[in-house]
C-alpha cells in the first residue's frame, strides 16, 4: 500500500506539468503522432513477449 501511495503522488506531480499548457508537457504536437503509434506497438510487443513466456512456462 505504501508503494501505491508513493506511485500516486509521483504520478500526480509528474502530470501536473502536462496540465499547464504553456510549459513543459508530454503530449505530441505538430505531426508527432508517430510517437503514440511507436509506443503502442512497443507495448504490444512487450505484452506479447510476456504472454508467450507465460504460455511456454506452463508446460
Amino acid at each position: 500500500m505504501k508503494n501505491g501511495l508513493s506511485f500516486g503522488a509521483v504520478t500526480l506531480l509528474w502530470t501536473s506539468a502536462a496540465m499547464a499548457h504553456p510549459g513543459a508537457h508530454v503530449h505530441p504536437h505538430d505531426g508527432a503522432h508517430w510517437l503514440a503509434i511507436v509506443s503502442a506497438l512497443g507495448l504490444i510487443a512487450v505484452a506479447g513477449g510476456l504472454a508467450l513466456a507465460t504460455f511456454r512456462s506452463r508446460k
Side-chain angles (χ1 to χ4, degrees):
M1 183 66 186
K2 185 189 292 185
N3 289 338
L5 293 175
S6 323
F7 178 70
V10 169
T11 303
L12 182 63
L13 290 173
W14 185 63
T15 57
S16 64
M19 292 182 211
H21 194 71
H25 47 281
V26 295
H27 60 273
H29 280 279
D30 300 329
H33 297 290
W34 64 271
L35 290 171
I37 293 170
V38 169
S39 298
L41 290 174
L43 184 62
I44 291 168
V46 169
L50 289 173
L52 185 61
T54 301
F55 180 74
R56 287 184 177 178
S57 68
R58 289 187 181 183
K59 291 182 180 180

